[in-house]
């Protein structure tokens, strides 16, 4: 059972990464490209969460019912995932700001038309 | 030791203060504060180099030391060794020179530029000093985010496109690296580099798994280091970034990618010799050779000085990869000296570009008025001399050491690649300087046909008829240091490199708190003198440099309609190569995917 959950998680991570990558490569609108990048980043969230998961164990919150030093789901990967989300938010905010400025300056948001760097 | 956290804490703290007080402080105060901060960081890093000679200085944040009888690390540590601290010192010195260049004339919106540069410095120092894999990723992302903001600083159309290409390619690479970190954590249970290496040594995984994890981990750093199919973003970013930022990009940010790969390989993967050392050697020899050759070819076909220098950075990083691929302490020491020398010389060249931009509002080979500023021209020629790796510059010392080891390992073809790359990149800078500063040259070579002509906005204010003293000072300082560091570092770096390649020493220092190390790997070749064959190689590179520059300057001889055959041959190659660099980020990411797949397959199937 745990293996199925794990395999499903890995498959989801791989699918998200490849789909997002396809979106970035073939995108014709910069906002779509930024959001495809978000999808790529989401694959790492899924991967991290699945790595930390332990079947039938509680969340790592120690209360009266869950004693400290008893077995729980891995808390480190959850912290990594949250840091990952913060990093992603920063990068996507920066990219969207750049997109808005590009649209304002050149009237288009199509990456194939913003073509100043050939060669 | 608290000193180890200062290179990161100090610039971040001052940046936070400046961000808050930016409305109130005058420009002069901002300049003084940032100069003082970067000088302080340089001083602290130099102190850390001396403090960590012969041992590893370990600092656990929050005093979360390793626990239990098995000494399991539960905190994040900085593990400082001379090479990491030395790289942080180089970053601080380049930031100092960049701030000298931008003193009072560089257009700064309140305190935005100063704040971003200090955060950038903090991120670079953090990456050099950290001993934790996820912490490495965090500093990498912080560095990328601030670099993107600095790259798009001028907010004109080309800047925004350059920043976009930079951000997307580096972020995709970074998240593949994070996937590698996650997979390694899943297997070893620890994010600490020394602990991961120790666990891998005790429980060896399958070779296939380790090959995949290694290539994923290196993906982001290969993109940052602008290795072969991942180098496209660098030229776009450099062409539009402000000059002080370009100094940092080429001088130290790109080299940090290679440093991260070397650090991760030596601490985590080398104790078990997995993936197979033959595979690693083959992979990085191919990466280095392709990058060096293609970067040099692209470099010669540019007329925009900053883009030309960006491609020469790509080429020289290829040479650094070749030095790393030899997997020998003497070669690593040579690579370290080469990194320092190259960073300073490249910084000097970019200051020259900044001076051109300030005076003539352009850095294009054919738009700039000719025959003016011979003093700057002389300095540019000196920098081209250093770029080609001729003595007395530090690049010569480093390159000589790498070639000694290459000869010992019966890989003389590496010298041929180095001669080609050095000659072609130095010829490009020589051609540009001779044409612009000394009015040599007639006509336009075929190689420059349809070369990108990117409009660059002026980034400085004030009187554009004089070159301010601060810009002169910055350039002379960097070129002088490039010569001085060669003499200072020669012969001392071998010990540091041998220490860098001793993973057991790091495990002992980090986990068991035994900071004194005994070096396990002795260097194979200890002679620091230049050999006769090396002088012949340099003479060949010199002749190649002069010849190629002459082809670029005088393509048509005796009033023929077509240019001479060498120029046409070179143009045939370069023009076809230029069609690959499309400027579209989707293409860059497609190349990234192809590159990772190809290199991964190489690692999996190399014996």
């Amino acid at each position: 059972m745990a293996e199925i959950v794990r395999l499903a998680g890995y498959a989801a991570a791989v699918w998200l990464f490849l789909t997002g990558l396809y979106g970035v490569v073939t995108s014709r609108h910069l906002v779509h490209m930024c959001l495809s990048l978000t999808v790529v980043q989401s694959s790492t969230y899924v991967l991290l969460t699945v790595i930390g998961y332990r079947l039938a164990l509680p969340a790592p919150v120690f209360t009266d019912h869950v004693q400290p030093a008893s077995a729980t789901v891995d808390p480190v990967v959850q912290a990594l995932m949250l840091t990952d989300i913060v990093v992603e938010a920063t990068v996507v905010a920066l990219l969207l700001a750049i997109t808005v400025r590009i649209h304002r300056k050149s009237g288009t948001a199509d990456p194939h038309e913003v073509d100043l760097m050939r060669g | 030791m608290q000193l180890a956290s200062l290179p990161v804490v100090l610039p971040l703290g001052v940046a936070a203060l400046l961000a808050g007080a930016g409305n109130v402080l005058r420009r002069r105060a901002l300049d003084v504060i940032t100069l003082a901060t970067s000088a302080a960081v340089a001083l602290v890093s130099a102190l850390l180099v001396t403090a960590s000679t012969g041992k590893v200085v370990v600092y656990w944040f929050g005093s979360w030391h390793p626990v239990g009888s098995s000494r399991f690390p539960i905190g994040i540590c900085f593990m400082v060794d001379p090479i990491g601290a030395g790289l942080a010192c180089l970053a601080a010195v380049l930031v100092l020179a960049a701030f000298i260049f931008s003193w009072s004339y560089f257009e700064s919106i309140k305190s935005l530029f100063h704040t971003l540069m200090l955060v950038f410095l903090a991120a670079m120092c953090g990456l050099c000093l950290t001993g934790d894999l996820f912490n490495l990723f965090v500093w990498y992302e912080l560095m990328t985010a601030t670099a993107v903001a600095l790259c798009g600083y001028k907010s004109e159309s080309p800047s925004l496109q350059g920043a976009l290409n930079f951000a997307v390619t580096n972020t995709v690479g970074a998240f593949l690296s994070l996937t590698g970190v996650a997979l390694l954590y899943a297997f070893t249970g620890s994010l600490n580099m020394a602990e991961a290496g120790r666990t891998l040594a005790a429980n060896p995984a399958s070779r296939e798994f380790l090959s995949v994890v290694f290539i994923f981990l290196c993906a982001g750093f290969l993109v940052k280091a602008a290795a072969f199919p991942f180098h496209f973003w660098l030229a776009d970013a450099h062409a539009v970034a402000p000059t002080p930022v370009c100094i940092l990009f080429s001088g130290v940010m790109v080299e940090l990618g290679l440093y991260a790969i070397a650090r991760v390989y030596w601490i985590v993967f080398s104790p078990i010799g997995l993936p197979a050392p033959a595979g690693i050697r083959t992979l990085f020899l191919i990466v280095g050779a392709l990058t060096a050759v293609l970067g040099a070819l692209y470099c010669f076909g540019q007329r925009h000085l900053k883009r030309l220098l960006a491609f020469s950075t790509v080429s020289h990083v290829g040479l650094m990869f070749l030095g790393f691929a030899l997997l020998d302490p003497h070669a690593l020491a040579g690579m370290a000296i080469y990194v320092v020398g190259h960073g300073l010389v490249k910084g000097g060249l970019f200051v020259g570009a900044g001076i051109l931009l300030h005076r003539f509002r352009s850095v294009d080979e054919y738009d700039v008025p000719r025959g003016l500023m011979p003093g700057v021209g002389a300095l540019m020629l000196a920098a081209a001399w250093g770029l080609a790796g001729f003595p007395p510059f530090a690049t010569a010392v480093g390159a000589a050491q790498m070639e000694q080891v290459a000869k010992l390992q019966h890989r003389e073809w590496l010298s041929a690649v180095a001669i080609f790359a050095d000659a072609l990149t130095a010829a490009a800078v020589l051609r540009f300087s001779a044409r612009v500063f000394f009015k040599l040259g007639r006509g336009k070579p075929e190689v420059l046909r349809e070369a990108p002509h990117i409009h660059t906005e002026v980034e400085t204010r004030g009187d554009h008829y004089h070159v301010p003293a601060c810009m002169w000072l910055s350039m002379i300082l960097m070129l002088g240091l490039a010569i001085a560091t060669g003499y200072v570092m020669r012969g001392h770096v071998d010990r540091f490199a041998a220490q860098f390649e001793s993973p057991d020493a790091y495990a002992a220092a980090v986990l068991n708190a035994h900071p004194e190390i005994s070096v396990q790997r002795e260097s194979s070749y200890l002679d620091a003198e230049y050999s006769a064959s090396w002088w012949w190689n340099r003479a060949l590179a010199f002749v190649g440099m002069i010849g190629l520059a002459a082809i670029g300057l005088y393509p048509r001889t005796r009033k023929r309609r077509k240019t001479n055959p060498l120029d046409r041959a070179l143009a045939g190659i370069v023009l076809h190569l230029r069609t690959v660099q499309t400027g579209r980020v989707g293409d860059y990411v497609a190349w990234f995917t192809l590159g990772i797949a190809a290199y991964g397959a190489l690692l999996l199937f190399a014996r």
Side-chain angles (χ1 to χ4, degrees):
Chain A
M1 178 62 188
E3 286 312 306
I4 297 174
V5 171
R6 196 148 279 149
L7 277 175
Y10 292 150
V14 169
W15 170 253
L16 283 171
F17 193 89
L18 292 175
T19 317
L21 209 61
Y22 177 79
V24 172
V25 170
T26 59
S27 173
R28 292 300 295 264
H29 195 282
L30 285 173
V31 177
H32 171 265
M33 182 187 289
C34 297
L35 294 179
S36 299
L37 201 60
T38 311
V39 172
V40 172
Q41 293 165 339
S42 311
S43 77
T44 50
Y45 310 155
V46 172
L47 183 67
L48 281 169
T49 317
V50 156
I51 282 172
Y53 183 70
R54 305 278 179 272
L55 190 66
L57 289 181
V61 181
F62 295 122
T63 62
D64 295 336
H65 303 287
V66 182
Q67 296 297 317
S70 62
T72 62
V73 165
D74 191 348
V76 171
V77 282
Q78 298 180 359
L80 296 185
M81 205 192 84
L82 288 172
T83 312
D84 197 1
I85 292 179
V86 169
V87 164
E88 178 250 319
T90 311
V91 171
V92 170
L94 204 53
L95 276 171
L96 287 174
I98 293 175
T99 303
V100 166
R101 281 223 80 116
I102 288 180
H103 181 78
R104 206 176 287 169
K105 292 256 169 190
S106 56
T108 176
D110 187 343
H112 288 208
E113 283 176 30
V114 188
D115 208 14
L116 299 158
M117 297 278 181
R118 217 161 354 110
Chain B
M1 209 204 298
Q2 262 77 358
L3 199 66
S5 63
L6 267 184
V8 171
V9 167
L10 191 60
L12 277 179
V14 175
L17 282 172
L18 287 184
N23 288 339
V24 190
L25 289 172
R26 286 210 312 258
R27 177 61 189 265
R28 185 61 56 87
L30 285 174
D31 285 333
V32 168
I33 292 174
T34 49
L35 264 183
T37 312
S38 42
V41 173
L43 194 64
V44 168
S45 311
L47 283 174
L48 280 172
V49 172
T50 48
S52 59
T53 308
K55 59 182 180 190
V56 178
V57 173
V58 180
Y59 175 73
W60 291 97
F61 280 91
S63 296
W64 290 100
H65 294 276
V67 294
S69 56
S70 60
R71 311 294 300 164
F72 186 76
I74 53 172
I76 297 175
C77 75
F78 268 8
M79 58 183 194
V80 183
D81 71 332
I83 289 194
L87 206 51
C89 190
L90 175 68
V93 166
L94 285 174
V95 169
L96 183 67
F99 277 127
I100 293 176
F101 173 83
S102 59
W103 178 277
S104 118
Y105 287 95
F106 186 79
E107 294 273 10
S108 174
I109 308 158
K110 299 229 181 79
S111 61
L112 193 65
F113 172 72
H114 300 87
T115 313
L116 283 172
M117 289 280 273
L118 284 179
V119 175
F120 192 35
L121 174 63
M124 288 193 287
C125 290
L127 204 147
C128 292
L129 302 177
T130 186
D132 181 281
L133 283 168
F134 189 72
N135 202 223
L136 191 71
F137 167 76
V138 167
W139 291 123
Y140 176 96
E141 277 295 302
L142 182 63
M143 198 169 75
T144 303
T146 35
V148 168
L150 282 169
C151 178
Y153 186 77
K154 290 193 245 183
S155 281
E156 55 196 21
S157 279
S159 307
L160 297 170
Q161 191 185 356
L164 186 82
N165 291 355
F166 183 175
V168 173
T169 47
N170 277 265
T171 306
V172 171
F175 278 85
L176 199 55
S177 272
L178 183 60
T179 308
V181 170
L183 290 174
L184 196 60
Y185 175 79
F187 188 79
T188 59
S190 170
L191 290 169
N192 188 287
M193 286 186 211
E195 169 70 18
R198 189 172 70 169
T199 312
L200 273 181
N203 319 306
S206 73
R207 220 183 114 243
E208 288 75 20
F209 173 73
L210 283 174
S211 301
V212 168
V213 167
F214 183 72
I215 201 67
F216 277 5
L217 255 176
C218 289
F221 303 119
L222 282 170
V223 174
K224 183 66 82 189
F228 165 54
F230 321 114
H231 65 287
F232 298 101
W233 63 272
L234 191 71
D236 296 349
H238 273 75
V240 298
T243 307
V245 176
C246 285
I247 296 174
L248 290 176
F249 281 5
S250 267
V252 67
M253 185 185 80
V254 168
E255 285 78 1
L256 283 177
L258 180 52
Y259 168 83
I261 293 176
R263 175 69 85 196
V264 164
Y265 172 70
W266 284 111
I267 305 276
V268 180
F269 289 94
S270 71
I272 30 172
L274 278 169
I280 293 280
R281 269 215 179 96
T282 317
L283 173 68
F284 285 111
L285 282 175
I286 291 180
V287 169
L290 279 175
T291 312
V293 168
L294 289 171
L297 285 169
Y298 273 110
C299 172
F300 199 71
Q302 300 292 324
R303 54 189 275 188
H304 188 275
L305 181 60
K306 285 192 181 177
R307 215 166 149 86
L308 190 157
L309 292 174
F311 278 119
S312 91
T313 299
V314 171
S315 180
H316 289 283
V317 166
L319 295 180
M320 294 173 205
F321 267 106
L322 288 175
F324 168 65
L326 296 170
L327 294 182
D328 179 279
H330 194 64
L332 193 74
M335 188 189 96
I337 301 177
Y338 192 79
V339 164
V340 171
H342 168 263
L344 290 165
V345 166
K346 200 46 79 66
L349 282 168
F350 272 111
V351 172
I355 291 176
L356 272 178
L357 194 58
H358 176 77
R359 271 282 266 140
F360 304 128
R361 302 166 190 267
S362 168
V363 287
D364 188 279
E365 197 165 336
Y366 288 94
D367 286 352
V368 172
R370 305 217 248 153
L372 300 169
M373 295 201 296
V376 177
L379 285 176
M380 292 280 282
L381 288 180
W385 185 264
L387 198 66
F390 297 137
F393 283 90
T395 43
V397 177
Q401 279 194 267
M402 290 195 280
E403 280 187 39
Q404 278 172 353
V405 180
K407 214 163 62 139
L408 207 68
Q409 294 188 0
H410 304 293
R411 292 199 165 93
E412 282 84 1
W413 60 271
L414 291 183
S415 304
V417 172
I419 292 173
F420 179 80
D422 284 341
L424 203 47
T425 51
V429 179
L430 182 59
R431 181 198 77 208
F432 186 98
S433 309
R435 196 191 303 276
V436 165
F437 296 107
F438 300 106
K439 246 182 175 171
L440 296 174
R442 203 179 311 125
K444 193 193 266 194
E446 273 295 295
V447 149
L448 289 183
R449 188 155 59 97
E450 290 170 18
H453 187 188
I454 301 166
H455 171 66
T456 315
E457 281 278 318
V458 166
E459 61 202 11
T460 44
R461 57 183 184 193
D463 179 10
H464 288 276
Y465 291 103
H466 300 287
V467 179
C470 60
M471 298 187 188
W472 278 106
L473 183 62
S474 184
M475 194 166 182
I476 294 172
L477 177 71
M478 280 196 275
L479 291 177
L481 278 175
I483 299 177
T485 45
Y487 287 106
V488 167
M489 288 173 79
R490 192 174 183 178
H492 295 293
V493 191
D494 273 34
R495 276 179 301 148
F496 302 160
Q499 181 181 336
F500 192 84
E501 297 185 0
S502 312
D504 291 349
Y506 283 93
V510 169
L511 302 168
N512 300 330
H514 295 152
E516 302 293 329
I517 58 147
S518 59
V519 166
Q520 292 139 333
R521 289 194 57 134
E522 283 304 319
S523 177
S524 44
Y525 194 112
L526 294 170
D527 189 356
E529 293 303 314
Y530 298 138
S531 66
S533 66
W534 184 81
W535 282 111
W536 279 113
N537 285 345
R538 291 296 98 193
L540 197 56
F542 178 76
V543 166
M545 175 177 91
I546 300 288
L548 287 162
I551 295 174
L553 287 170
Y554 299 103
R556 272 180 195 77
T557 49
R558 280 181 249 129
K559 290 191 182 159
R560 290 205 191 112
R561 237 176 352 110
K562 283 195 197 166
T563 58
N564 71 58
L566 275 162
D567 178 38
R568 271 182 284 136
L570 210 56
I573 304 173
V574 171
L575 289 176
H576 275 103
L577 281 178
R578 276 220 293 266
T579 57
V580 175
Q581 175 108 13
T582 56
R584 292 180 188 163
V585 67
D587 297 346
Y588 296 176
V589 176
W591 276 106
F592 165 82
T593 317
L594 182 65
I596 294 291
Y599 290 150
L602 184 65
L603 260 187
L604 274 175
F605 299 120
R607 292 278 155 210

